């Protein structure tokens, strides 16, 4: 871990509402610090990792921003220890996608909340159509 990443991680408690913080960076170091910050915010909690030791969870997430409806169905599959093999934080490409969505958004905190709710360790199906989002995967 780089020193700049550690210092940013200590400073980030709540995502600032100012959009200027997440504007596209002119250098790649600043962008990577933002991506690493997003990864650290999205890291699975120790309780979640412990829960994965007992069960793997099949998740179905549906979000329709037009209606404001959100469905988050979790089905436990009693397969012990397999869940410990799942990643504890999102990969760089997914964190970069979230960072870019926050850059384009008028409300980065709301974008972050919606995206973090929808994140899964392994996604089998992800469909985004006219703002509606459907994801099926393991968590």
């Amino acid at each position: 871990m780089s020193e700049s990443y550690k210092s940013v991680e200590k400073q980030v408690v709540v995502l600032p509402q100012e959009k200027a913080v997440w504007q596209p960076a002119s250098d790649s170091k600043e962008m990577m610090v933002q991506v690493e910050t997003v990864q650290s915010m999205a890291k699975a909690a120790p309780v979640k990792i412990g829960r994965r030791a007992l069960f793997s969870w099949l998740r179905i997430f549906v979000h329709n921003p037009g209606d404001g409806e959100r469905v988050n169905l979790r089905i436990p599959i009693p397969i012990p220890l397999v869940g410990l093999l799942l990643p504890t934080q999102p990969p760089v490409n997914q964190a970069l996608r979230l960072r870019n969505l926050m850059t384009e958004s008028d409300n980065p905190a709301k974008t972050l909340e919606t995206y973090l709710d929808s994140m899964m360790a392994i996604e089998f199906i992800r469909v985004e159509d006219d703002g509606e989002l459907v994801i099926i995967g393991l968590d």
Side-chain angles (χ1 to χ4, degrees), residues 13-132:
V13 177
V14 177
L15 179 69
Q17 288 288 329
E18 300 171 19
K19 189 176 176 189
V21 172
W22 294 95
Q23 288 301 317
S26 58
D27 66 2
S28 60
K29 285 185 180 181
E30 187 177 333
M31 183 177 71
M32 280 310 296
V33 168
Q34 291 176 353
V35 168
E36 290 171 347
T37 302
V38 169
Q39 280 185 312
S40 69
M41 287 189 295
K43 189 171 183 174
V47 172
K48 187 176 199 175
I49 295 169
R51 184 185 69 195
R52 286 178 177 174
L54 300 174
F55 295 99
S56 295
W57 296 80
L58 176 67
R59 255 183 87 195
I60 301 170
F61 181 85
V62 179
H63 177 65
N64 188 351
D67 297 344
E69 291 186 23
R70 185 181 302 194
V71 176
N72 192 6
L73 178 65
R74 297 170 196 248
I75 303 169
I77 303 171
I79 305 174
L81 303 178
V82 172
L84 292 176
L85 300 175
L86 299 176
T88 58
Q89 68 182 20
V92 173
N93 63 342
Q94 199 170 20
L96 183 60
R97 183 182 317 140
L98 176 54
R99 179 232 175 240
N100 291 338
L101 286 172
M102 290 168 47
T103 300
E104 297 167 359
S105 175
D106 292 332
N107 187 352
K110 184 67 175 168
T111 302
L112 177 68
E113 177 188 359
T114 302
Y115 198 87
L116 289 180
D117 284 348
S118 72
M119 280 174 94
M120 298 179 199
I122 297 176
E123 295 179 356
F124 298 128
I125 298 172
R126 181 182 194 94
V127 179
E128 296 180 59
D129 186 31
D130 295 332
E132 187 171 345

